[in-house]
Amino acid sequence: MIFKLNPSKPRSMANLTARLIFIVFTLLIALLLGFSYQFSSTAVTQEIERNVTQTASLLQNLVDYRLGTMQSTQNGHTRSVTLTGFIESEAKSEIEDYFSSIDQTNLRSTPDFRFISKPEGLFWDDGNAPFFGIGRSHLEVLVKGVAYNDSWHFVALDTDSRNQYLLIRRVPVIENTRGEVVGKLFIAIVLNNNFTLVENLKIASNTTEIVLLVNDRAVASTVKLDRELLIRIQDSKRPSFTHNSELMANIVDLKINGVKSPISVYSLQDNKNFLSLENNFKISLIFSLFSILVTAGLARFLIQKRITSELTSLMAYTQLAGDERKVSKFEGSIVSEFDHIGHTLELTFADLLEKEKLFQDLFNFALSPIIVWSGEGKILRMNPAAEKAFQVEGVHIERDYRTFKHLMLSHIKMVSTGAVLTGIKIPISKTVYLWNLSPISLDDGIHTIIGQGLDITSLVEAEEQSNLARIEAEKSATARAEFMARISHEIRTPLNGILGISQLLKKSEHSQDQAEKIDVLRQSGEHLLAVLNDILDFSKIEQGKLKIEKKVLFWLA
């Protein structure tokens, strides 16, 4: 069984729990009742089968007993010295008196008719065969057709009126002193309209009605063979039985001398007891099912009522905590699971409210502007610092607000795909902020985007002043270098002249005192030239124009 829940119509937990308990309870009871019904039906069916089997066995035993009794009586006649003497002396009237006197004392073992044959043919008959439409010629046929002794034979005899179905047995009559066969004694049972046989079977087997069949054709019956009964007999398939009506039908194939024969017995037995048993069981089953359903419904109602009450209390506590944004003490529940859930919710709400307060304080009292965006670029929330950034003397500047949103839109769309952006420099009016944008994700994707700005206006101004100072310093250094280069050039020219004149003066004739003065003049000019060269090198270093060359000097000893 599959339950499809409609999200638009949610059900309460109490209702679902009670319904689930009711369904499981009902299924278990249904299975139990089903097994009970199956077991009881099987027991009734087995009892009916046992009864049918006993009836079939009883019918077979009755037929065997009847044939055995007649067979025993016949065997006793064949050993009678009196009968043997009558046959040898061909005293037919004495033979008739002999059997008449015996039949009067034991009617149950009396066959429908008897006859005796000798090697030359039919010798004697009791005169009962014509009552069944069997004449002397038919007896002659039976004498020749029944060839085996001591066994019952089924014979279908074609007479003038109809077929006669017989059970016939032949036994030799032997003279004891000589061991000579003086004749053969035949006894026969006529199955057609044998009301005595079927009535005895009916009484002895305690059945309602008996129908004797030969090759599935009714030949004798204790009930009127109307069309409906004949059709019912023809439709019966062996081995089979039906017990869904007041009469239970059964067909038993009879065995003669342990061998299956074309003779069968169709019995109708009173089935009211079994039907009454089945009906009583069905009534008790229906009553039990009704009682179980009522009990299950009552249990469902009580469980649902109790669970609904506890869940209502738990939901009211949850709703109160959510609406009032404060945590009250959970009063507890008699259901341990609900009690655990309630106290867990109490701790959870307290923790969440504390975290929410910390976050709210951080959001409200932060000196840096914090703005919460939607994925489409809509501003959802701003902290006081961000709101103050869009105000001048307490008045909101809409133009600055729209300009800022326009500049941030492209970055917001990029962050909505999952990226994290840092160091975005976007101003608000004349204040420059460095923004960091980060997505806030939930199970179904990007929920919101939070942006935090850092005021870097002073840093930007300091950087601009630094750049201006650097430019001025570079200009000053360049001017100084140019001045030094020009001055050094102006000084180098007259200095070279002084050094050259000093060299010439040194080569001319002069006194010792003059030579020394000329050397001082020359050394002072060379020193001044070295200082001037050093100044030019420092100027080149500042301008980045100094070139260093590597030279190898060889000294000769």
Side-chain angles (χ1 to χ4, degrees), residues 48-60:
I48 292 174
E49 290 179 350
R50 186 183 65 83
N51 184 49
V52 168
T53 303
Q54 289 180 348
T55 302
S57 177
L58 180 60
L59 290 172
Q60 180 67 55

Side-chain angles (χ1 to χ4, degrees), residues 314 317 330 337-347 349:
L314 184 62
Y317 171 77
F330 181 67
E337 289 78 5
F338 293 167
D339 186 73
H340 176 72
I341 292 173
H343 286 97
T344 303
L345 287 176
E346 180 183 352
L347 296 177
F349 286 149

Side-chain angles (χ1 to χ4, degrees), residues 17 29 49 53 131 138 153 184 317 321 332 348 362 435 479 511 519:
T17 303
I29 296 302
E49 290 179 350
T53 303
F131 292 104
H138 299 117
H153 294 264
K184 297 175 182 178
Y317 171 77
T348 303
L362 178 64
W435 296 93
S511 62
D519 287 337

Side-chain angles (χ1 to χ4, degrees), residues 378-434:
K378 182 180 178 181
I379 294 179
L380 302 177
R381 191 177 179 187
M382 294 189 298
N383 71 336
E387 293 177 353
K388 186 177 180 180
F390 292 102
Q391 296 176 358
V392 176
E393 297 180 356
V395 179
H396 178 76
I397 308 302
E398 184 66 23
R399 181 182 60 187
D400 295 341
Y401 180 77
R402 290 197 300 268
T403 303
F404 174 75
K405 284 182 61 178
H406 177 71
L407 295 175
M408 290 288 289
L409 184 59
S410 60
H411 302 289
I412 294 298
K413 290 183 177 180
M414 185 179 297
V415 176
S416 64
T417 61
V420 177
L421 300 182
T422 58
I424 303 173
K425 189 184 296 183
I426 295 178
I428 299 177
S429 185
K430 296 179 181 181
T431 306
V432 181
Y433 291 94
L434 193 66

